[in-house]
Amino acid sequence: MTAVSRDFNVQESTIDYGPLGNDLGYVLRRAQLWVFQDFIRTMTPLDLRPAQYSVLVIIHHNPGLSQIALASALGIERARLVRLLDQLEERKLVERRPAASDRRSHAMHLTPQGERALAGALDLVATHRLACLEEFGGPNNYETLVRLLARFGAPQ
Amino acid sequence: MTAVSRDFNVQESTIDYGPLGNDLGYVLRRAQLWVFQDFIRTMTPLDLRPAQYSVLVIIHHNPGLSQIALASALGIERARLVRLLDQLEERKLVERRPAASDRRSHAMHLTPQGERALAGALDLVATHRLACLEEFGGPNNYETLVRLLARFGAPQ
DNA sequence: TATTGTTATACTCTATAACTATA
DNA sequence: TATAGTTATAGAGTATAACAATA
């Protein structure tokens, strides 16, 4: 292993990854894909994708939030959120209520069914977390990663 | 800050992120988005996206590779790679040559123009890396992250 | 029969722009 | 005039399936 070119443990092939082995964006992307695939697999019984889960979490913890505030909190476009909420509302997991003070705005809430789905999701997330702990080399490594990445979790 | 709910430094709003603050998949995803956006911004003069850059790197370091081997090395579908290579071949950066031993297969190579583009990309990647070092809290944090994530960079 | 590359389809996600109804 | 939500479009990326040529 050199300073530029990190060796991976590849048994079947002898691919030279060059600078990619030390490229944070590259390894970050592939790690993230692994985590999301495990998340989706684990969440199959509830048919919840990561983005949908994060919407349920934020609404649960911040009931009455507007769509703009929700989109901003999650770092997604408000246009993208509309589709996400349409799907979740069709499934009766979330509810758009008219906002008291501003008739343009919606106050987002989980339905009782949405609360139950979230509770079930949290159980499965615990299972998923165990898989991640294993895959990332134990709780210490997991916590180190979360600590080093936490600043990206919320805007500003 | 509790064990469950990490506080972010949010000035303008008071969003409760609940378990997302400690969710590796969530912070991994948002960190990865930041890095890719900075990569794309930095690479604007060359109009190279992360996936395109990674294809150039692997071909440069493993000339003659088949499409199957290339897709496998990068962890993408071979069907997806076809489109990627079509675009890069249209721009005369890569070349599909007939493979000597197997007439179904292509041997991938960079053109001289592709080699020059990659050299320019490596310069810009150095700039991008400096931005990442800053954003992730210095070289120590950067190296720790790469080390903890490196196992995902290559299959198996 | 199996594999390489290709085409096609469907869905998710990102990024914009423009529209409506309210403010 | 600005903002909240919506609609529409284009492109990237993921996941499949099926096909032709070749092994």
Side-chain angles (χ1 to χ4, degrees):
Chain A
M1 182 172 116
T2 72
V4 168
S5 174
R6 179 181 300 270
D7 288 320
F8 293 107
N9 287 327
V10 182
Q11 294 97 353
E12 78 286 19
S13 61
T14 51
I15 297 292
D16 181 355
Y17 282 79
L20 290 186
N22 288 320
D23 186 314
L24 181 56
Y26 176 72
V27 296
L28 213 44
R29 172 64 172 160
R30 297 205 59 173
Q32 184 254 304
L33 280 178
W34 185 92
V35 174
F36 269 32
Q37 278 160 4
D38 187 79
F39 183 99
I40 292 167
R41 197 183 322 128
T42 308
M43 216 61 96
T44 300
L46 289 173
D47 189 27
L48 274 185
R49 298 179 61 82
Q52 297 172 317
Y53 165 72
S54 68
V55 165
L56 295 186
V57 168
I58 299 293
I59 295 177
H60 171 84
H61 283 87
N62 307 271
L65 211 60
S66 71
Q67 294 185 201
I68 284 270
L70 180 53
S72 163
L74 290 173
I76 63 180
E77 291 296 322
R78 66 190 200 279
R80 159 91 184 112
L81 182 62
V82 170
R83 288 292 200 89
L84 270 172
L85 291 177
D86 285 349
Q87 296 172 329
L88 293 172
E89 201 168 33
E90 261 177 46
R91 294 169 62 180
K92 313 284 187 199
L93 300 181
V94 308
E95 201 183 355
R96 286 166 163 117
R97 297 189 194 158
S101 55
D102 187 337
R103 287 169 54 204
R104 296 171 301 183
S105 186
H106 293 154
M108 299 309 309
H109 291 270
L110 295 193
T111 63
Q113 198 172 335
E115 295 286 356
R116 283 195 297 276
L118 178 57
L122 291 173
D123 283 347
L124 294 180
V125 164
T127 302
H128 163 65
R129 188 188 173 95
L130 289 179
C132 289
L133 284 176
E134 174 88 11
E135 189 71 15
F136 285 82
N140 285 343
N141 286 347
Y142 186 101
E143 287 304 329
T144 300
L145 281 168
V146 170
R147 181 171 48 79
L148 293 176
L149 301 174
R151 76 182 66 185
F152 296 93
Q156 263 50 280
Chain B
M1 180 174 117
T2 72
V4 168
S5 175
R6 179 180 300 270
D7 287 318
F8 295 107
N9 286 326
V10 182
Q11 294 98 355
E12 77 284 22
S13 61
T14 51
I15 298 290
D16 180 355
Y17 281 79
L20 290 186
N22 289 320
D23 187 315
L24 180 55
Y26 175 72
V27 297
L28 213 44
R29 172 65 173 159
R30 297 205 60 172
Q32 184 255 304
L33 280 177
W34 185 92
V35 173
F36 270 31
Q37 279 161 2
D38 186 79
F39 183 100
I40 292 166
R41 196 183 321 127
T42 307
M43 216 60 96
T44 300
L46 289 174
D47 188 27
L48 274 186
R49 298 179 62 83
Q52 298 172 317
Y53 166 71
S54 67
V55 165
L56 295 186
V57 169
I58 299 293
I59 295 178
H60 171 84
H61 283 86
N62 307 270
L65 212 60
S66 72
Q67 294 185 201
I68 283 272
L70 181 52
S72 163
L74 290 173
I76 64 180
E77 291 297 321
R78 67 190 198 278
R80 160 88 185 117
L81 181 63
V82 170
R83 288 292 202 89
L84 269 172
L85 291 178
D86 286 349
Q87 296 173 329
L88 294 173
E89 202 169 31
E90 263 179 44
R91 294 168 62 180
K92 313 282 188 199
L93 301 181
V94 307
E95 200 183 356
R96 286 165 163 118
R97 298 188 194 159
S101 58
D102 186 336
R103 287 169 55 205
R104 294 170 303 183
S105 185
H106 293 154
M108 300 307 309
H109 292 270
L110 295 193
T111 63
Q113 198 172 334
E115 295 288 355
R116 283 195 297 276
L118 178 56
L122 291 173
D123 283 347
L124 294 180
V125 163
T127 303
H128 163 64
R129 188 186 172 97
L130 289 178
C132 289
L133 283 176
E134 174 89 11
E135 188 70 17
F136 284 82
N140 286 343
N141 286 347
Y142 185 100
E143 288 303 328
T144 300
L145 282 167
V146 169
R147 181 171 49 78
L148 293 177
L149 300 175
R151 76 182 66 184
F152 295 94
Q156 267 47 282

